[in-house]
């Protein structure tokens, strides 16, 4: 075996030996064969003709192929990465002289080697079905290429997420699977089937089944901004950059174990890419809405008017703006030790010109850049909504305030004396985001339509109010706009005090 030098890859061989144990391997293959046999038997008994029976068998094969590769492969990629982390063999591999890229490839490829082998076998099984009138070789190839893209993306993401955990103990995978199917599966199903922002459908790989079931999954039209592209091109455009992002995160975990998984540059690139893609699909939906309505392409999941399109897209973008900013804060805000190290370098004149993208630099500049990106990409929504400049300004100020307030408080927490007490962080967030706004809402008897007031300091109330400014032509409540701005200013004032405190501590230690 000379593919990418995997025969000398320690991480690949470690995962390979674990996955190729006879008993688990035989049990897994027995379960797959049993499911296929039962499905074949059910399809053959209920089919009305031989053509329909073989077509049903083909659908069984491709479904099992997708489930094994996407779900099974992601599960084992997460499990193997968790094993390396909890058994602390990750430190051994981290210190080996092997190139970091080889380590990452070995981990992802070794943990999913069985699933890729099954995928290849089932691909060979699918080819004879091209003799059917309803199936072509082109459909089979495009379906498999789509699955390959999704498999690489999900496997890399699963390994990345598992290695992000700092816990030394392993966690129950069955518990996570139960939580996912209970809470996450409805959201995933909606994202794969809804016309609202096809970005998520391409991200989750639902384009694959549109090649096989074009009539039943026809909500993806291949439109992006002003371009009409093949579905596989758009899927690659969505997933491949994110694969590189996950790959960079894995590389940093191996090479910089005490740093955040993604650098500030990576976070900014990811957020800019996310906004660019989501807005691109919104623009294409808006441009082609008249054509869609004229052709009568109306389904239960597709917006039936321009207003319905806005009612789907504006809340989604607004929530994405705030949530992505909160997630970005966790990777951009420096820890106390990174900040102290940064100050030591500055004191000794060793730092690279006080680079704002350094891991120890404040997140203020980066978060301002993030907010600027969000405001730029919010422009199409404001234009389509046809709101006044004042309301549009209030909308972006409210959303930006939540992002800046959270980043400021997180920086204050990580640099302050309570940085080791996570209960302090959770309590403070609960008071500001839940307790105070809830009391304000109670005093108004939850009639917030005309007076959002203090309740706007919480995004749980304020994001809905910001969306209503665009969709329902509500008047601007100046208290509702100013309150989150004041909170953001206060949080960064507290963070600034901690900057000064860290600088004094470093100066005293050096002197």
């Amino acid at each position: 075996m000379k593919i990418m030098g995997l025969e000398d890859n320690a991480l690949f061989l470690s995962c390979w030996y674990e996955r190729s144990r006879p008993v688990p391997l035989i049990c897994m293959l027995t379960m797959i064969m049993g499911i296929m046999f039962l499905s074949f038997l059910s399809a053959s008994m209920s089919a009305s003709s031989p053509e329909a029976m073989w077509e049903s068998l083909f659908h069984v094969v491709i479904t099992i192929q997708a489930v094994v590769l996407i779900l099974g492969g992601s599960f084992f990629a997460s499990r193997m990465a968790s094993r390396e982390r909890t058994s602390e063999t990750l430190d051994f591999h981290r210190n080996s002289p092997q190139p970091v890229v080889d380590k990452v490839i070995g981990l992802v490829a070794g943990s999913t080697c069985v699933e890729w082998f099954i995928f290849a076998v089932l691909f060979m099984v699918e080819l004879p079905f091209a003799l059917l009138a309803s199936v072509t070789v082109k459909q089979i190839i495009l379906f498999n290429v789509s699955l390959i893209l999704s498999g690489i993306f999900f496997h890399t993401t699963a390994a990345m997420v598992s290695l992000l955990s700092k816990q030394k103990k392993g966690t129950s995978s069955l518990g996570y699977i139960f939580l996912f199917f209970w809470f996450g599966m409805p959201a995933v199903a909606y994202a794969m089937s809804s016309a609202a922002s096809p970005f998520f459908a391409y991200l989750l790989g639902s384009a694959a089944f549109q090649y096989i079931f074009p009539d039943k999954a026809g909500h993806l039209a291949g439109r992006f901004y002003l371009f009409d592209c093949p579905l596989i091109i758009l899927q690659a455009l969505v997933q491949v950059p994110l694969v590189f992002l996950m790959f960079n995160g894995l590389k940093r975990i191996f090479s910089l174990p005490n740093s955040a998984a993604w650098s500030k540059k990576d976070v900014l690139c990811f957020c800019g890419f996310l906004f660019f893609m989501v807005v691109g699909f919104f623009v294409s939906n808006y441009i082609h809405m008249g054509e869609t309505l004229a052709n009568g392409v109306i389904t239960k999941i597709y917006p039936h008017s321009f207003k319905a399109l806005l009612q789907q897209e504006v809340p989604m973008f607004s929530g994405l703006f705030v949530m992505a900013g909160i997630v970005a804060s966790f990777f951009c805000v420096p820890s106390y030790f990174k900040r102290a190290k940064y100050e030591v370098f500055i004191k000794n004149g060793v730092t690279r010109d006080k680079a704002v993208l350094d891991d120890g630099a404040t997140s203020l500049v980066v978060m301002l850049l993030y907010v600027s990106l969000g405001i730029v990409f919010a422009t199409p929504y404001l234009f389509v909504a046809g709101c006044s400049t004042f309301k549009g300004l209030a909308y972006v100020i409210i959303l930006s305030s939540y992002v800046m307030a959270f980043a400021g408080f997180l920086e204050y927490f990580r640099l302050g004396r309570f940085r080791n007490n996570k209960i302090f962080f959770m309590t403070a967030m609960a008071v500001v985001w839940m307790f105070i706004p809830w009391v304000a809402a109670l005093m108004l008897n939850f009639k917030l339509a005309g007076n959002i007031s203090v309740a706007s300091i919480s995004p749980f109330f304020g994001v809905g109010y910001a969306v209503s400014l665009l969709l329902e032509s509500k008047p601007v409540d100046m208290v509702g706009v100013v309150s989150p701005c004041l909170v953001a200013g206060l949080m960064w004032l507290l963070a600034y005090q901690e900057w000064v405190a860290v600088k004094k501590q470093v100066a005293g230690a050096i002197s």
Side-chain angles (χ1 to χ4, degrees):
M1 182 172 56
K2 295 292 183 182
I3 302 176
M4 297 183 294
L6 295 179
E7 73 280 2
D8 297 323
N9 192 311
L11 255 175
F12 175 81
L13 294 175
S14 174
C15 296
W16 168 266
Y17 291 141
E18 176 71 19
R19 292 302 315 279
S20 61
R21 290 180 178 176
V23 174
L25 193 58
I26 292 173
C27 291
M28 179 179 178
L29 294 177
T30 301
M31 290 180 63
I32 294 174
M33 295 300 295
I35 293 173
M36 291 182 67
F37 174 76
L38 291 176
S39 302
F40 288 165
L41 188 61
S42 301
S44 61
M45 293 180 65
S46 60
S48 58
S49 64
E51 178 79 12
M53 181 188 71
W54 287 108
E55 186 176 346
S56 299
L57 297 183
F58 173 70
H59 294 163
V60 169
V61 173
I62 63 171
T63 302
I64 292 176
Q65 185 188 32
V67 169
V68 170
L69 183 67
I70 303 302
L71 295 184
S74 301
F75 171 78
F76 283 105
S78 175
R79 183 179 177 183
M80 292 292 100
S82 178
R83 187 200 66 167
E84 297 296 331
R85 173 178 53 81
T86 55
S87 63
E88 299 184 355
T89 56
L90 187 64
D91 294 328
F92 166 77
H93 293 295
R94 180 181 287 132
N95 295 322
S96 68
Q98 192 175 33
V100 177
V101 174
D102 292 355
K103 298 173 186 176
V104 175
I105 294 176
L107 175 62
V108 178
S111 59
T112 58
C113 54
V114 175
E115 284 70 32
W116 283 109
F117 176 77
I118 296 174
F119 169 83
V121 171
L122 292 179
F123 170 68
M124 300 303 295
V125 173
E126 291 166 7
L127 290 176
F129 286 94
L131 297 174
L132 296 174
S134 57
V135 181
T136 64
V137 175
K138 180 181 177 181
Q139 285 179 296
I140 295 174
I141 292 176
L142 288 174
F143 174 79
N144 280 268
V145 171
S146 179
L147 280 187
I148 290 172
L149 290 174
S150 297
I152 295 173
F153 168 67
F154 281 108
H155 298 170
T156 310
T157 301
M160 176 70 231
V161 171
S162 184
L163 291 181
L164 274 178
S165 176
K166 301 297 183 182
Q167 297 179 0
K168 293 298 182 182
K169 287 186 176 182
T171 52
S172 174
S173 300
L174 292 176
Y176 283 132
I177 292 174
F178 173 78
L179 290 175
F180 169 76
F181 277 99
W182 187 263
F183 296 104
M185 202 59 188
V188 171
Y190 175 78
M192 293 182 69
S193 62
S194 173
S197 188
F199 169 79
F200 298 103
Y202 286 110
L203 178 69
L204 297 171
S206 63
F209 285 96
Q210 188 154 326
Y211 294 120
I212 308 299
F213 308 104
D215 298 331
K216 298 180 181 179
H219 64 286
L220 297 179
R223 295 165 178 166
F224 183 68
Y225 283 106
L226 302 178
F227 306 101
D228 287 335
C229 305
L231 300 186
I232 195 66
I233 298 298
L234 281 179
Q235 182 180 347
L237 187 63
V238 170
Q239 291 182 337
V240 171
L242 294 180
V243 169
F244 280 106
L245 176 74
M246 299 300 169
F247 200 84
N248 284 341
L250 288 170
K251 286 169 58 179
R252 277 177 64 91
I253 287 178
F254 277 98
S255 57
L256 301 171
N258 296 320
S259 300
W262 290 289
S263 66
K264 293 177 180 177
K265 179 181 177 181
D266 287 338
V267 172
L268 281 178
C269 290
F270 166 70
C271 294
F273 169 77
L274 184 63
F275 289 142
F276 174 74
M277 297 303 296
V278 170
V279 174
F281 288 115
F282 165 71
V283 171
S284 65
N285 274 340
Y286 174 75
I287 292 175
H288 295 91
M289 175 62 74
E291 175 186 341
T292 303
L293 296 177
N295 294 334
V297 185
I298 302 299
T299 65
K300 294 181 180 179
I301 62 174
Y302 203 89
H304 56 276
S305 65
F306 289 100
K307 182 178 180 181
L309 177 65
L310 279 175
Q311 289 175 340
Q312 280 188 349
E313 297 284 354
V314 172
M316 188 274 301
F317 176 81
S318 303
L320 184 66
F321 187 110
V322 176
M323 290 303 300
I326 290 174
V327 173
S329 300
F330 284 104
F331 296 100
C332 294
V333 172
S335 65
Y336 173 81
F337 297 102
K338 283 288 181 180
R339 182 67 185 179
K341 183 179 179 181
Y342 182 73
E343 293 293 342
V344 170
F345 286 160
I346 293 177
K347 196 74 174 177
N348 296 330
V350 183
T351 186
R352 301 187 301 272
D353 300 324
K354 301 183 180 180
V356 296
L357 297 181
D358 189 272
D359 288 344
T362 175
S363 65
L364 177 59
V365 177
V366 177
M367 297 312 299
L368 287 174
L369 290 174
Y370 169 82
V371 166
S372 301
L373 280 173
I375 293 174
V376 169
F377 284 106
T379 305
Y381 297 93
L382 302 179
F383 173 78
V384 173
C387 63
S388 64
T389 303
F390 184 55
K391 287 186 177 180
L393 187 62
Y395 169 82
V396 296
I397 287 176
I398 292 173
L399 297 185
S400 302
S401 297
Y402 297 136
V403 175
M404 296 304 299
F406 183 84
F409 179 70
L410 184 61
E411 189 149 331
Y412 161 74
F413 168 73
R414 286 187 174 178
L415 301 182
R417 69 186 71 177
F418 303 112
R419 57 183 174 272
N420 294 322
N421 297 321
K422 294 182 180 179
I423 188 63
F424 168 77
F425 176 80
M426 298 301 298
T427 302
M429 293 304 302
V431 169
V432 176
W433 278 11
M434 298 178 63
F435 181 75
I436 295 177
W438 196 272
V439 171
L442 284 174
M443 294 178 64
L444 295 171
N445 199 23
F446 288 96
K447 297 179 180 179
L448 303 176
N451 185 11
I452 190 69
S453 66
V454 183
S456 67
I457 66 174
S458 169
F460 298 117
F461 293 89
V463 171
Y465 170 66
V467 171
S468 68
L469 291 177
L470 303 187
L471 299 182
E472 301 177 16
S473 301
K474 288 188 176 181
V476 177
D477 187 329
M478 291 307 299
V479 177
V481 175
V482 173
S483 296
C485 295
L486 292 177
V487 173
L490 176 61
M491 294 300 103
W492 281 105
L493 180 61
L494 294 173
Y496 174 75
Q497 293 178 349
E498 296 304 326
W499 299 348
V500 175
V502 173
K503 186 176 293 187
K504 289 181 178 179
Q505 291 174 6
V506 169
I510 293 178
S511 61

